[in-house]
Amino acid sequence: MISKKRIFKYSAISLGIITIPAIAIAGFFVVGNADRFRQFSVSPQNDSANGLVTAYRAAVFAGAEVIMAPGFTHQVPITTAVETEPDVFGNTGFLLFDDVVPRDSKAARQTFNITYRADLGSIQTGVAAAYFLNSNQSSFISNGLTFSVWGGQNFASVTSFMGGLQKGIAWANENLSGKQIEQVEGTPKQYVKVTQLFGQSDFTGGFGPSEGIGVQQSIINRKADLIMPVAGPQVFNAQQLILTANSRSLLLGVDSAVENDPRNSPSHLLPDVGN
């Protein structure tokens, strides 16, 4: 069990959205008993594994005993730091948010992993998506109602979101089956089961806009009614692929605030349901 007095707060990387300010020690403030707890913060020079390990090292030299590392980008640097520099990090504890260090690594004994139950929200997203498609049957239905989803990388929060989404749609398929669904246009229609279409992989391998083009294209080629990239900015690349394919697929971007982004241009192919 790790018993620590001072906590070092490392801030810059969070949930796949990378912000790299200039390196700076932001000072510290005291919480509770000044003899027991001090909190610091620092920013890295860059988000490479070496850059993050360098920041950890500076934190330890400044007196940190526990490093809070928010974001999956920290998994590899934490593992590397503990395994390659035991003289520096041998007594350092880590709080890793949004990922898990390998259980068989030396870092596992020094790291508390905290992951997010994204499925608690995405299960509701799945129910809403199934209902939305069904309430707009005149805009979508051709060969049933379909959806596709992909993630950037196989991280716990990403797979949790994807799994919750699937469960939400499965719940709607079971509990709304046989029911009449009010239509945005026209008289109510009976609920239609929503099925999933798969591409060549569930993950594109990264979160850059153009990463995993083959995966994105293979999914978009299926022309699902609703496509959800759990990959931040890849929603914009997906939009261009959809428009190029002259597809009627509707995009729901995850982990990316796209609704007010000027790149998010309305499609003329779906005038009834908007953007």
Side-chain angles (χ1 to χ4, degrees):
M1 180 176 179
I2 300 174
S3 176
K4 299 296 176 184
K5 294 180 180 179
R6 293 186 297 278
I7 292 184
F8 188 90
K9 182 180 180 183
Y10 180 90
S11 60
I13 311 297
S14 179
L15 287 176
I17 301 173
I18 300 174
T19 303
I20 306 297
I23 189 165
I25 298 295
F28 69 91
F29 58 91
V30 177
V31 178
N33 188 326
D35 294 329
R36 296 183 57 230
F37 187 97
R38 286 186 296 160
Q39 181 167 311
F40 305 79
S41 62
V42 70
S43 299
Q45 287 183 314
N46 60 70
D47 66 327
S48 69
N50 184 63
L52 299 184
V53 172
T54 299
Y56 303 159
R57 194 181 301 115
V60 171
F61 292 158
E65 293 173 305
V66 175
I67 297 176
M68 297 195 302
F72 54 76
T73 312
H74 292 276
Q75 191 249 64
V76 171
I78 288 174
T79 304
T80 300
V82 173
E83 293 187 346
T84 62
E85 299 185 59
D87 55 326
V88 176
F89 299 105
N91 293 314
T92 304
F94 290 89
L95 295 177
L96 174 59
F97 294 80
D98 198 27
D99 206 351
V100 177
V101 296
R103 292 184 179 182
D104 59 351
S105 68
K106 293 180 181 179
R109 301 189 63 173
Q110 296 173 225
T111 306
F112 292 89
N113 307 296
I114 302 170
T115 57
Y116 303 105
R117 289 295 306 274
D119 57 314
L120 297 180
S122 64
I123 192 170
Q124 299 177 67
T125 304
V127 174
Y131 190 88
F132 173 79
L133 291 174
N134 266 277
S135 63
N136 287 277
Q137 288 187 21
S138 62
S139 294
F140 292 109
I141 203 159
S142 55
N143 185 26
L145 293 175
T146 58
F147 80 100
S148 287
V149 60
W150 76 73
Q153 288 180 274
N154 189 11
F155 295 133
S157 58
V158 175
T159 56
S160 176
F161 188 97
M162 295 169 70
L165 182 72
Q166 293 167 324
K167 288 184 181 197
I169 290 176
W171 184 95
N173 286 340
E174 179 180 351
N175 291 275
L176 298 180
S177 177
K179 291 184 168 55
Q180 294 293 307
I181 306 299
E182 292 289 334
Q183 298 297 298
V184 173
E185 298 287 342
T187 59
K189 295 181 181 179
Q190 185 164 304
Y191 182 87
V192 174
K193 179 181 179 181
V194 180
T195 58
Q196 184 171 359
L197 300 180
F198 296 89
Q200 65 181 228
S201 174
D202 291 331
F203 304 99
T204 57
F207 294 89
S210 59
E211 290 192 70
I213 289 292
V215 172
Q216 294 184 45
Q217 190 69 70
S218 70
I219 290 174
I220 288 168
N221 285 347
R222 303 296 305 275
K223 298 188 176 181
D225 294 307
L226 186 62
I227 294 177
M228 284 161 274
V230 189
Q234 287 179 14
V235 66
F236 297 112
N237 194 66
Q239 182 191 62
Q240 295 307 306
L241 293 174
I242 286 171
L243 293 175
T244 299
N246 205 36
S247 170
R248 291 175 55 84
S249 298
L250 190 69
L251 272 174
L252 177 60
V254 181
D255 196 23
S256 181
V258 301
E259 62 274 9
N260 296 318
D261 193 297
R263 293 174 296 175
N264 186 22
S265 304
S267 169
H268 67 282
L269 298 175
L270 289 167
D272 297 334
V273 296
N275 200 5

